[in-house]
Amino acid sequence: MLKEIFILCLTIIHEEFVSCVPASYQTARDAILNAERQQRLGSQIQLNSAELALDKFLLQNKQTTIENARVGVSDFPPSINFFQSKKWIDDSPVFKIMEKMPKGCALHVHDSSITSLDWVISNVTYRDNCYICFNETTGTPSLHFFNKPPANKGCEWKLISTARSLFGNDKAFDLQLFRNLSIIVDNPDDTYVTVNDVWKKFNKYFGLINGVFDYAPVFKDYFHQALVEFYQDNVQCVEVRATLPQVYELDGTVHDQDWVVQAYQNISKEFAAQNPNFFGTKIIYSGIRFNPVATILNNVKDAIRLMKEYPDFVVGFDLVGQEGPGKTLLYYIDDLLYPSQQQPPVYLPYFFHGGETDWKDTRVDENLIDAILLNTSRVGHGFALNKHPYIKQVMSERGIAVEVNPISNQVLKLVADIRNHPAALLMTGKFPVVISSDDPAVWNAKPLSHDFYMAFMALAGEDEGIRILKQLAMNSITYSAMTSQEKKRALASWNEQWVKFINDWNTYNSNSHHVSRSDHTVKIIG
Ligand SMILES: *[C@@H]1O[C@H](CO)[C@@H](O)[C@H](O)[C@H]1NC(C)=O
Ligand SMILES: *[C@@H]1O[C@H](CO)[C@@H](O)[C@H](O)[C@H]1NC(C)=O
Ligand SMILES: *[C@@H]1O[C@H](CO)[C@@H](O)[C@H](O)[C@H]1NC(C)=O
Ligand SMILES: *[C@@H]1O[C@H](CO)[C@@H](O)[C@H](O)[C@H]1NC(C)=O
Ligand SMILES: *[C@@H]1O[C@H](CO)[C@@H](O)[C@H](O)[C@H]1NC(C)=O
Ligand SMILES: [Zn+2]
């Protein structure tokens, strides 16, 4: 009897010694913990011993980071703006594993914000015929390719090579250009107070990049380079929200939509052929949510036509642009109902951005309702979902996944601290969640690894290890727009890559310093 009390008095909860916990209380406590653990996303996954070894390593590192921050010894990267935390994340053992891990598909990214700015600057702006002009009033640059630049009052075109040599320091010029393209600043909290402040700069990015992105040779190489970078980041497929812009040649030719889709398709096929572990690319044609009703109707009709002409490649339709001030789905309701009102009805899958807002029950927030009524296949962001329990339930029942983009939501100022991101709540249940990166190039994030880091460190709990990562990767295939045949093949291929990833880690770490280092640091906690 005495002995039993003694053992209970040494009960350890979260590394802390708690005085005497009565046995019945402890049992009731464990029951609650277990009930919650069983509900969590990924909790059903069974791990083998090789996976458990990596699980242990990840958990030790995560716990060390969290516990040190909890007691104030250090800071917690996901609670700090990504512009400031990136350097620090990049050095962490957890991030290095996120990079190596096969992550499946990136299901929410945009056409002209997926290739690193380093490549854009070092490659695109060093090509022949690349011109720059600086607005005489504001100093703001624009970029474009020309054979012979037209006169442009108030913003005189000159060869960027000339501007560079006039500037006198190529490196400093390119750094300025990087700063003008990217939304990264040293003090984001002061520079961008509201969502609208940062979107103003974000929109400037698109204005600047599109001048060169729309140039045919760049357009093709940009997309190819995106696939290279995503694949290097261990992403096996990409679904791109694409606006299919008017792509130009130096001689003034402007290509039609078919050319643009064919360029995408040719590059995707070629890339997949060269990289057998890559599953492929899909295009989600996207209209702009500031355009007139008539324009969006034409976009919808184009989407229907393109889906027919490029089956299993063009897979649906969305509306893009800042949701807050933009037009609502309801505003375009006649356009969006057009396919289902044809005789017979035409099936156009939707992939709507919805609820990318902090404003509860506003017209923006209500986009979630229209997205569901329009049978959306997935919801982009769904940041406002927790304020709509009914919609959450419908999505859960119908398997409509939410595409969570943690870093985008942080840098575009919906949430400062990723621990407070609403997806943390979604992941406590078996909600269909996928992780994506939205516009990683604009804030110099890796194609998907940084967002996976955030999901792992801050959306999942301190004691959630490799199960959640495996579940998120598999979800990205399950909820992709691939056909069921394609999904089967993709899942098999992903599984092979996963096994290799686990085995490689175990081989490399079988008696290396990594494991012992984390064993050591975890002791700091007590
Ligand atoms: C840019 O990249 C393309 C495609 O990889 C390559 O062919 C070309 O030589 C590069 N150009 C420059 C200026 O780096
Ligand atoms: C960057 O933008 C600033 C201010 O808009 C401008 O003064 C500068 O010339 C630009 N530099 C480059 C290389 O784009
Ligand atoms: C220069 O910037 C001003 C202010 O944004 C704008 O009104 C003007 O049209 C720009 N000029 C050119 C030539 O783009
Ligand atoms: C795509 O490939 C086809 C077949 O090789 C070719 O005829 C066509 O010109 C290519 N289109 C583009 C835009 O690259
Ligand atoms: C959505 O799906 C339901 C059930 O299949 C169908 O009755 C309805 O017409 C669809 N709505 C639209 C807008 O496609
Ligand atoms: Zn988006």
Side-chain angles (χ1 to χ4, degrees), residues 290-299 327 331-335:
F290 289 90
N291 280 337
V293 168
T295 307
I296 300 299
L297 181 60
N298 284 333
N299 294 162
K327 297 285 196 289
Y331 178 84
Y332 296 117
I333 196 64
D334 288 345
D335 303 338

Side-chain angles (χ1 to χ4, degrees), residues 134 138-141 173 176-177 180:
F134 297 96
T138 61
T140 312
F173 182 91
Q176 264 199 21
L177 195 54
N180 287 349

Side-chain angles (χ1 to χ4, degrees), residues 133-140 142 152-156 204:
C133 79
F134 297 96
N135 184 310
E136 280 164 18
T137 321
T138 61
T140 312
S142 301
N152 198 29
K153 209 166 174 285
C155 197
E156 196 197 329
K204 274 190 185 167

Side-chain angles (χ1 to χ4, degrees), residues 220 259 262-263 266:
K220 289 180 178 175
W259 185 96
Q262 283 164 22
N266 287 357

